Amino acid sequence: MKLNNLQILRGISALLVCCFHFAGYINFPHLPLGDILFSKGSIGVNIFFVISGFIMAFTTRKKDFSINTSKEIALFFKRRIIRIVPLYFLLTLAWIILGRSLMTYMHGEGLNRLIHSFLFLPQKNTFPVLYLGWSLNYEMFFYLIFGISLLFFTKRYLFIIIFFIGTYLSGLLIPSDSSYLQMVTSPLNLYFVTGILFALLLNKVAISKKLAVLICITGIISFLLLLFNAIPSGTLITLLIVSLFVFSFLLFDYTFHFKGNRFLVFLGDISYSLYLSHPFVEILFRRFKVDGYLNIPYFILKLIMVVALAALLYHFVEKKITEFLKLKLKA
């Protein structure tokens, strides 16, 4: 089954994060347009996490991991590493080189930060070298726990749901100063859980069109209200609204069978490259200054450049490296 609308949502999420980081350019003295539109654009990361949870359950739900268990789990980890690591490592090194800070990361705190970045381990009050890597720390931790859950065969989804809900509750009861334990007990991990639950639900239940229309209208409107600060955003409220928003796009695929616009699907295809590479466009455009409301077309030009760079990276780097490693590692 093709999930074109979920792929479109990937692209939307990546662009939301990008707009969040570029928002300052369209904040004017009497009209903070960037803040009005994109102050909550980082919520795109939360959407990514729900999608990740869904995809992991969607792609493994029919597999019997009681047969060739170790081989299947090793294959799972290989595929996840091939998907995430090569482009992230390459762009982290590019970030260091462009920042002319290679020697900084060869010793002391700089080397420690680089090691933590490459091992996907969080540090207290410190972002990874390529700062967007903080979300990949969560992603890789999720993959680790998901891989372990495969040892539980038919009970794997139950294990992972109990694990993440349990760690979240333990974090509320016993707060920790450890950056790693803060990640382990973070409410952000619950977004993976909702994605898994959606995959299990849609595998068992067909949603009628009437109910789907109601869910989609509620999900999209509530998300827009949240995005534009029209409603309060507590931890569980945001989880509920973001999850409902993702579920709406899933219904576009499962119930309505919308094919989706080809360009928007393409944005989804390049979303990982777009997410990781957009800070490089920011560096380029810092060299040029425009005044006043000219920043609006300037902002749009930056987004066009972001998409163009991501498309190049996807076709000539991400895709080719992925294909090469899949062949070499038999994944």
Side-chain angles (χ1 to χ4, degrees), residues 3-236:
L3 300 170
N4 283 349
N5 292 283
L6 198 65
Q7 195 72 344
I8 287 170
L9 187 56
R10 282 184 195 268
I12 292 170
S13 303
L15 281 176
L16 271 177
V17 175
C18 178
C19 290
F20 169 73
H21 289 135
F22 292 173
Y25 285 88
I26 52 172
N27 279 333
F28 307 108
H30 304 293
L31 179 63
L33 189 61
D35 289 343
I36 291 169
L37 294 176
F38 304 118
S39 66
K40 286 193 175 171
S42 61
I43 207 168
V45 173
N46 305 50
I47 296 171
F48 274 132
F49 289 170
V50 181
I51 294 173
S52 289
F54 176 86
I55 292 297
M56 289 302 98
F58 177 79
T59 54
T60 61
R61 71 193 190 284
K62 292 180 180 178
K63 283 194 174 183
D64 183 359
F65 287 93
S66 63
I67 303 168
N68 296 321
T69 302
S70 58
K71 185 180 177 182
E72 289 293 336
I73 292 175
L75 183 62
F76 169 80
F77 281 124
K78 276 197 283 189
R79 286 175 174 168
R80 293 300 92 207
I81 289 168
I82 289 169
R83 176 76 180 97
I84 297 295
V85 170
L87 186 66
Y88 176 56
F89 279 18
L90 278 173
L91 291 183
T92 295
L93 292 173
W95 188 257
I96 291 170
I97 292 166
L98 285 175
R100 298 175 183 175
S101 53
L102 185 60
M103 295 308 297
T104 303
Y105 293 101
M106 298 299 284
H107 59 85
E109 283 301 312
L111 178 60
N112 188 42
R113 185 182 177 195
L114 182 62
I115 291 170
H116 275 76
S117 296
F118 281 172
L119 293 178
F120 298 97
L121 297 172
Q123 283 183 288
K124 194 168 185 178
N125 302 321
T126 305
F127 280 105
V129 176
L130 182 59
Y131 62 89
L132 293 162
W134 74 266
S135 62
L136 298 184
N137 294 344
Y138 282 85
E139 197 82 36
M140 293 301 277
F141 175 65
F142 168 63
Y143 294 152
L144 173 65
I145 301 304
F146 196 94
I148 292 170
S149 78
L150 300 179
L151 292 168
F152 292 82
F153 308 141
T154 58
K155 303 293 184 184
R156 56 187 178 269
Y157 303 124
L158 180 62
F159 165 80
I160 202 167
I161 290 166
I162 290 172
F163 177 86
F164 279 121
I165 292 175
T167 51
Y168 167 64
L169 293 175
S170 68
L172 293 178
L173 295 172
I174 313 168
S176 173
D177 289 331
S178 162
S179 56
Y180 189 76
L181 287 178
Q182 285 173 357
M183 179 181 74
V184 169
T185 59
S186 171
L188 286 173
N189 294 315
L190 297 179
Y191 290 87
F192 297 117
V193 171
T194 59
I196 291 170
L197 290 173
F198 289 160
L200 299 179
L201 174 67
L202 290 171
N203 187 47
K204 298 285 186 183
V205 179
I207 308 293
S208 69
K209 286 191 175 180
K210 282 186 179 180
L211 179 57
V213 167
L214 180 62
I215 291 170
C216 291
I217 291 172
T218 304
I220 292 169
I221 290 175
S222 61
F223 179 79
L224 291 173
L225 291 173
L226 179 69
L227 184 65
F228 299 132
N229 293 296
I231 54 176
S233 56
T235 298
L236 296 181

Side-chain angles (χ1 to χ4, degrees), residues 301-320:
L301 176 62
K302 286 172 71 174
L303 292 182
I304 293 169
M305 290 296 293
V306 163
V307 172
L309 175 60
L312 289 171
L313 269 176
Y314 173 73
H315 280 293
F316 296 109
V317 181
E318 180 186 348
K319 202 173 177 182
K320 291 192 180 300

